[in-house]
Amino acid sequence: MRRTVFNEDHEAFRETLRAFIEAEVVPVYDEWFAAGQAPRDFYYKLGELGIFGINVPEEFGGAGLDSHKFEAVLYEETARAGVQFGGSGVHVLLALPYIKMLATDEQKKRYLPKFVTGEEMWAIAMTEPGTGSDLAGMKSTAKLSEDGTHYVLNGAKTFITGGVHADRVIVCARTAAPTAEDRRHGISLFAVDTKSEGYSVGRKLDKLGLKTSDTAELAFVDVKVPVEDLLGEENKGFYYLGHNLASERWGIAFGAYAQAKAAVRFAKQYVQERTVFGKPVAHFQNTKFELAACQAEVDAAEAVADRATEALDAGELTPAEAASAKLFCTEVAHRVIDRCLQLHGGYGYMNEYPIARLYADNRVNRIYGGTSEIMKSIIAKDMGL
């Protein structure tokens, strides 16, 4: 089926990106995998390539585009090569929308030029130990000083992607107590400089997958955050978080679809080369049927992912539609990648094969950005159930 989601500009970007990955990432990816993170200077290369500035206004050094389709190409090409760009995904997909939506002109002038070049890498800190998806239950606090010049931030966060290398982190903290009517009231967002006194990075977490993505625990002890680094209005943070969840879930959905597509590619290549009982594994009927079934699921996921992309670019992707896309694409990826690993036999369990890494990387898709169970709740509510 012919796709209509991408045009010539996107395909030209794909060619450039594919060449970059082959030259700059594939040869050293095993080293990143062993180290548990991409090197910090790699992000400068992404800045030079223009990855970080695609959706940043031209006046701040970006390309001034307003589309997620280039990000979609990025998901497809990294999955195709069996690599990850470290923790840089959160920099663009999660942090940038908050800066564009909430930052004042003065803040954008301070933040965005360094954002585009990779000089300042951003992350976002929502989750706290013991709260999980219940963001309204966060305990971190930010109290305004008596002279009104800064907030004093205290608390802890966990599962923070990009947290090791981050230069600024959008931290969610309570500036007021929840009310009896609304426990989500009182949360605010701050662009915290990680060099601030009292800010510390704890453990770099040892994850099942996404090994090249630095994920950390963060702690704040009397961290002084200038009032100039408050993003948006006080106490409206929960509303802001909800506003950007659709784009975050789109990213997870599209990334999962791209992983499933890559899995079929890896499995097809493997079964054509691997010989069993004197003939290629691809010659067995079971192999053909398994891959055919996987391809059909990938085709369906591609249609869902593309439709969600068009809706997101048009500003029409609803929370329920984003939840539906995430639920469907991540569940498809789970099934497809598992079946493609099975076709690799014992070698599929070895980390030297991209399918093994893909299997581990994919598992978190049904958890972060809201679990599959949360997605079902959102969809059911939209159905009036």
Side-chain angles (χ1 to χ4, degrees):
M1 292 179 285
R2 187 175 68 87
R3 298 177 79 185
T4 59
V5 69
F6 299 124
N7 62 28
E8 293 181 358
D9 290 338
H10 302 123
E11 296 306 330
F13 174 67
R14 186 189 301 279
E15 290 182 14
T16 299
L17 184 60
R18 187 173 295 183
F20 173 83
I21 291 172
E22 288 298 321
E24 300 288 344
V25 182
V26 172
V28 294
Y29 195 70
D30 286 346
E31 297 174 21
W32 297 5
F33 190 84
Q37 63 186 35
R40 178 63 179 84
D41 60 5
F42 173 66
Y43 298 136
Y44 293 110
K45 294 181 180 180
L46 291 181
E48 292 172 3
L49 190 63
I51 295 292
F52 298 149
I54 292 172
N55 291 324
V56 172
E58 293 183 54
E59 61 188 294
F60 304 115
L65 302 178
D66 189 19
S67 172
H68 290 270
K69 293 181 180 179
F70 292 94
E71 292 171 54
V73 172
L74 178 61
Y75 285 126
E76 289 187 334
E77 289 305 306
T78 51
R80 179 184 182 277
V83 301
Q84 298 270 339
F85 278 1
S88 65
V90 72
H91 182 69
V92 174
L93 181 64
L94 299 189
L96 182 57
Y98 289 101
I99 300 172
K100 292 176 66 176
M101 178 176 71
L102 302 175
T104 64
D105 288 341
E106 184 276 330
Q107 288 175 322
K108 289 176 181 177
K109 290 176 182 177
R110 282 195 290 125
Y111 300 153
L112 287 176
K114 294 180 180 179
F115 180 101
V116 169
T117 62
E119 184 178 348
E120 278 194 354
M121 293 300 296
W122 287 61
I124 184 165
M126 293 186 258
T127 305
E128 295 185 0
T131 62
S133 297
D134 182 20
L135 296 180
M138 69 177 63
K139 300 283 194 299
S140 295
T141 61
K143 297 182 179 179
L144 189 63
S145 63
E146 291 185 3
D147 62 7
T149 61
H150 63 273
Y151 291 86
V152 180
L153 175 65
N154 284 282
K157 300 288 181 178
T158 192
F159 306 146
I160 309 307
T161 302
V164 175
H165 283 320
D167 301 289
R168 275 195 185 269
V169 177
I170 299 174
V171 177
C172 312
R174 284 206 165 275
T175 44
T179 65
E181 297 77 22
D182 187 3
R183 60 191 296 266
R184 300 171 296 182
H185 171 77
I187 295 171
S188 300
L189 307 184
F190 300 90
V192 180
D193 186 339
T194 62
K195 296 184 294 296
S196 302
E197 184 177 354
Y199 180 104
S200 62
V201 177
R203 292 186 301 151
K204 180 168 73 69
L205 300 174
D206 184 15
K207 307 184 298 298
L208 171 67
L210 301 179
K211 290 292 188 179
T212 64
S213 173
D214 54 302
T215 303
E217 295 175 331
L218 306 179
F220 323 113
V221 179
D222 294 334
V223 177
K224 292 182 178 180
V225 183
V227 293
E228 292 83 7
D229 286 327
L230 171 69
L231 284 175
E233 297 182 37
E234 261 195 12
N235 304 326
K236 292 189 176 181
F238 200 95
Y239 164 76
Y240 299 142
L241 294 174
H243 186 272
N244 284 326
L245 277 175
S247 62
E248 177 183 352
R249 288 167 179 163
W250 164 82
I252 298 170
F254 203 99
Y257 140 70
Q259 289 176 326
K261 182 178 181 179
V264 172
R265 175 175 178 267
F266 297 145
K268 179 182 176 183
Q269 180 179 4
Y270 179 82
V271 298
Q272 289 176 326
E273 297 172 352
R274 172 72 167 154
T275 300
V276 176
F277 304 125
K279 56 184 176 181
V281 176
H283 284 200
F284 293 92
Q285 185 182 64
N286 179 69
T287 303
K288 296 176 182 179
F289 281 9
E290 282 293 285
L291 282 176
C294 287
Q295 184 61 54
E297 290 219 74
V298 169
D299 287 343
E302 180 180 86
V304 170
D306 285 355
R307 185 181 70 173
T309 302
E310 295 286 17
L312 182 63
D313 271 13
E316 298 172 353
L317 185 65
T318 69
E321 289 169 344
S324 179
K326 180 182 184 295
L327 177 65
F328 183 79
C329 291
T330 57
E331 294 290 343
V332 164
H334 161 64
R335 293 191 296 270
V336 167
I337 294 170
D338 183 75
R339 294 168 84 170
C340 288
L341 186 150
Q342 187 74 14
L343 289 172
H344 281 71
Y347 289 104
Y349 206 65
M350 301 295 111
N351 273 327
E352 64 185 276
Y353 282 80
I355 192 68
R357 299 180 183 184
L358 194 57
Y359 183 85
D361 290 347
N362 167 76
R363 185 57 185 88
V364 76
N365 288 333
R366 292 180 290 148
I367 297 174
Y368 67 2
T371 63
S372 290
E373 291 73 23
I374 294 292
M375 298 304 100
K376 292 174 184 177
S377 296
I378 294 170
I379 297 165
K381 183 177 180 181
D382 186 68
M383 294 170 66
L385 299 174

